[in-house]
Structure formats: C-alpha cells, structure tokens
Amino acid sequence: MEIVSFRTPGLGDQSYLLTHEGKGVLVDPQRDIDRFLAAAAERDVDLRFVLETHLHNDYVSGGRQAAHRTGAELVLPAAAAAAYPHTPAFHLEDIPGEHGLSLRPIHTPGHTPEHTSYLVLIDGEPMAVFSGGSLLVSSAGRPDLLGPERARALARHQYGSLRRLADLPGNVRLLPTHGEGSFCTTTGAGRHTSTIAEENTGNPLLAIADRESFADHLLADPMPIPAFYRYMGPANTLGVPPMPATDVPVLTLEQAPDRARLLDIRPRAVQASGLLPGSVGIELGTDFGSWAGWLLPYQTPLVLVATPGQDTREAITQLAQIGIDTVLGVVTDLGQAATSSFELLELPAFAARLTAPGAQLLDVRMPSEQRATPLPGAVERFLPDLVFDGVPAELDPQRPVLLACGSGRRASIAAGLLLQSGYQPVVLTGAGAADLREQLAAT
C-alpha cells in the first residue's frame, strides 16, 4: 500500500491517493483534478473509489468530476444527501475493494453533521484512517462554520468523534484533510500526518475530560470565517462543472469590460510603484485565491493585472478551487494609467518613521494575533474588515498610515484598499509585528 499526499498550502488542505495492487482510492480531491489523475496514471493505477469525508466548506470539490472522468465509484457520507449520483457511506458498513482492500466508514460528526472518516483495512488489518476535518494533527476541525446557532451542538459531537478515532489501534496512520494554514482548524495544526498513538499522547484536545469543557475550549476564541466559505457547502451539495480553462485572452486596458473588477496580481514592489485607481492588489502567492475570495464580491467578473510573462494560470486555478470562474482576461500593459502608489519600507526605516511625531499605525492582523503580540498605540482592524466595516474613523487621511501585519503580505493588500479611500499607506515589508516590537524596544 502506498499513500501519495497532495498539499494545497494556500487553503491548508491535503488530498490523498491510496494505491494497492494496481487499484487507487482518491480522497477529498480539489477541483483541479488533473494533478491527481496524472499521479494515478504515472503509477498505472486504476482509480476504483473517490471518497469525500464531508461537504467541504473551504473549497469546491473535484470528486464528482474525478469519478466521471475515470469511472471510479464516488462515495459520500450518507447524510450528505448530495444532489448527484453517489454511493452513500453508512457507519461501519464496509465498502469492499479488491486484493484484500476494504474501507470502513466511521461517522465522525462535529466539523459538519454528516462528516465521515474512512478506515483503510488490508486483509482485515487497520492500516490508516482518512479523518478529513475530524481528528487533526494536535488539533480538530472547527465546529462553527455552519453558524453560531449550531456550533455548540457540533462541538459536543466533535468531542465524541475524536475519541471514537482515538480508540483505533495506535499504529494506524492518521491522514487528515485540514491542517496548517486552514481556516477549518480550531488551532494551528502542526505536521500534516500522524498516527493514532502520537495523537493519544500529544493532542491536547484528547486530554480534555468532559464534553462541555471540550466545547468551551473549541468555541473560546474562534478564528474569522472567510467570506467565500458560505458558498462552498451549497456548491458541493448541488455539484459544480469541471474546471474552467486556465488560459484567458490578453486585453488592452481599453478592452477590459466596465463591469469587471481589476485584480492586480503583480509583486508588491511593482504594485507600490503604480496601481490602477480602483483596482484591488493581491500579490500572487499560495494564498492568493483565499484572499481574493474573501475580499471581493463572490463571482464578480474579474480582469487580472499581471506583469508580462507572469503565471496567470496559477491565479486562475486558485480562484477556480473556490468556485470563482469569472476571469475574463488579463492586462499586462498599464501605460500611464497606474497613478496610485504607496511606500514600502524595510524594518529599520519603518520603525524610524513610526517614532516620528504624529505617526499613526494600523495593524491588519487577525484579532488573535493582535492579542498575542500587541503593537502599542496601533489602531487594530483585521484586513477583511477594511472591506466590510471601512477604514477606522480614528485614522487621519491627511497623514500617512503605517501598515503592519505578520510579514507584509496583508499590509500590502490593505494599502490598495486604503488608497481607494484617499489615505497615504506606508507598508512594513519583509518583517512583521513581532520584529517591529523588538526593533522599537531596542531603540
């Protein structure tokens, strides 16, 4: 038995391909399925099953299309009741494969009500468990994504589900879907895979003795929920079309439709030297799609702004992974139209500017980060809240606004948003809040 993992760092998720005696099982595939099917073809594997652990809240699934393309059997939790053909997985009703392989569904509600893990058995021996968003490495899937009204009930379910999985033999490999970087985890999960024995000794959530204390812990300090999450569950319930083409036409600025939002994916240093007025700047990186889905109206028509030769296919793929299929084209020549600009400063220069009379600092990190490492005197507003709540009233547009986050990424995105509101942004780049605190303390 071989298990191949596929990381999607920007979403903090992991898909898997299990191979055994020429047969394959694909687990929780994302929408860009070619990478999974290519891995199966390289190993000369006949894809036998496609498994979904739950109706995902953070990305559009490629399970239906992978099954359609390969003839594999699509298996979903029985309670998911998806609106397309599939085999329902019922608790402890084994799904037989070939050559001694079988899959045992284990109902593990908590992250979602229908959530089901899959125990892999070879000749009757438990080998691995695909735990989706239930038991994670040193963590658990968060129970509040379906709304605060259901969060406590799901947290109580998660308590029982974690213990159900923890009772498996210690040598069983733990293969979760959610992990480090995912907004579906309750805490910052560390390694991507583990074993049941390692979790029994090292997962702090398994040390919480009673159900209510467990629920209190999970719900005490929830992370923000990305705005696009609300669309993922319904999309995965009803089904989505295949991936769109990742090649789009190159447009002149004049050809860009008036109805389209301009999304600038160029490096932040290039953006700083000139943005198109009204455009949103999100430097292309592993989490580009998540920020675009969070900050822009969902499914709004988009035209990308890129440097000549920049890999726009990666940007389009990340958008498609969360169901945004609305990229109309790409502009690579802005001429003289990029008239909005902001400053990028390295740590020493930024700290010196901050100590000047009248300096004002805006911290755009998550509230939990702000509490853990506060910046004295900073105005605090999480990056997405600049879109939904506006720029804090205490900031003076007549004076530069110094922006900080954990690395400069979110601060540079915030700079474009502040420009649209008439502010003068100055971004700390190449360093974060912790570095800034140390620098200020040393001066």
Side-chain angles (χ1 to χ4, degrees):
M1 183 182 78
E2 179 191 14
I3 295 175
V4 183
S5 62
F6 305 83
R7 289 283 300 155
T8 307
L11 294 171
D13 287 326
Q14 190 155 268
S15 305
Y16 300 94
L17 173 66
L18 179 152
T19 67
H20 177 68
E21 300 290 334
K23 302 296 181 181
V25 179
L26 182 60
V27 184
D28 284 344
Q30 300 196 341
R31 195 180 182 194
D32 50 325
I33 60 174
D34 285 347
R35 53 180 170 150
F36 312 126
L37 302 189
E42 288 169 7
R43 292 161 175 78
D44 195 23
V45 165
D46 174 28
L47 200 60
R48 178 68 178 83
F49 296 105
V50 177
L51 308 180
E52 297 280 16
T53 57
H54 59 296
L55 296 173
H56 303 284
N57 291 301
D58 59 333
Y59 66 85
V60 170
S61 170
R64 182 187 181 196
Q65 295 302 328
H68 175 73
R69 288 258 301 267
T70 63
E73 186 174 349
L74 177 62
V75 179
L76 275 75
Y84 42 86
H86 63 278
T87 296
F90 293 96
H91 179 57
L92 299 185
E93 292 190 9
D94 287 4
I95 301 170
E98 291 87 11
H99 309 294
L101 171 69
S102 61
L103 306 167
R104 179 168 297 165
I106 302 174
H107 188 211
T108 46
H111 185 48
T112 63
E114 80 286 350
H115 191 285
T116 297
S117 302
Y118 297 92
L119 180 64
V120 179
L121 301 105
I122 302 293
D123 297 327
E125 290 296 317
M127 304 295 291
V129 62
F130 296 108
S131 61
S134 185
L135 180 62
L136 311 181
V137 179
S138 299
S139 186
R142 60 190 292 188
D144 61 331
L145 296 180
L146 301 183
E149 300 83 4
R150 306 176 72 181
R152 190 161 193 91
L154 286 170
R156 295 187 186 109
H157 290 325
Q158 192 72 299
Y159 174 86
S161 293
L162 262 60
R163 279 145 189 82
R164 176 173 284 170
L165 294 178
D167 284 340
L168 294 172
N171 66 321
V172 169
R173 295 176 63 183
L174 179 73
L175 304 170
T177 300
H178 300 312
E180 185 177 16
S182 172
F183 281 96
C184 286
T185 68
T186 57
T187 60
R191 301 188 325 277
H192 307 308
T193 65
S194 182
T195 66
I196 295 299
E198 289 171 330
E199 292 309 300
N200 273 313
T201 58
N203 192 321
L205 296 178
L206 289 172
I208 300 176
D210 67 275
R211 194 178 302 267
E212 294 304 323
S213 297
F214 179 89
D216 289 340
H217 182 84
L218 257 60
L219 301 174
D221 190 20
M223 291 193 298
I225 300 174
F228 67 88
Y229 272 27
R230 74 187 73 172
Y231 304 102
M232 300 297 94
N236 289 321
T237 301
L238 299 177
V240 295
M243 272 279 295
T246 55
D247 292 319
V248 296
V250 176
L251 308 174
T252 65
L253 194 54
E254 292 73 22
Q255 290 172 327
D258 292 338
R259 62 191 176 93
R261 294 290 299 271
L262 294 168
L263 177 55
D264 195 321
I265 67 172
R266 298 175 301 163
R268 73 184 70 163
V270 180
Q271 293 180 11
S273 65
L275 279 168
L276 287 167
S279 64
V280 175
I282 305 176
E283 179 182 19
L284 181 59
T286 57
D287 58 354
F288 159 80
S290 292
W291 286 119
W294 202 335
L295 300 176
L296 293 167
Y298 194 70
Q299 293 292 23
T300 192
L302 298 172
V303 169
L304 303 180
V305 177
T307 58
Q310 193 172 9
D311 185 6
T312 55
R313 291 177 298 177
E314 171 63 20
I316 293 167
T317 296
Q318 288 193 34
L319 292 169
Q321 286 174 337
I322 59 172
I324 298 176
D325 299 347
T326 54
V327 178
L328 305 178
V330 57
V331 172
T332 59
D333 184 1
L334 301 182
Q336 302 300 311
T339 56
S340 296
S341 62
F342 59 91
E343 287 187 77
L344 285 177
L345 293 180
E346 300 290 339
L347 181 59
F350 188 91
R353 185 79 68 90
L354 189 58
T355 58
Q360 48 186 356
L361 175 63
L362 177 61
D363 182 349
V364 296
R365 295 175 297 158
M366 283 195 302
S368 59
E369 296 174 278
Q370 294 163 351
R371 288 191 294 272
T373 313
L375 290 174
V379 177
E380 297 176 343
R381 180 147 297 177
F382 183 36
L383 171 60
D385 294 334
L386 290 173
V387 173
F388 301 112
D389 299 332
V391 179
E394 55 265 48
L395 294 176
D396 181 0
Q398 301 305 314
R399 292 181 285 131
V401 177
L402 282 75
L403 289 159
C405 62
S407 66
R409 175 153 179 73
R410 287 170 289 180
S412 65
I413 298 171
L417 301 176
L418 263 66
L419 283 171
Q420 295 180 28
S421 298
Y423 290 79
Q424 308 165 51
V426 179
V427 171
L428 172 61
T429 189
D435 307 298
L436 181 58
R437 278 177 60 97
E438 288 185 14
Q439 181 77 17
L440 294 172
T443 59

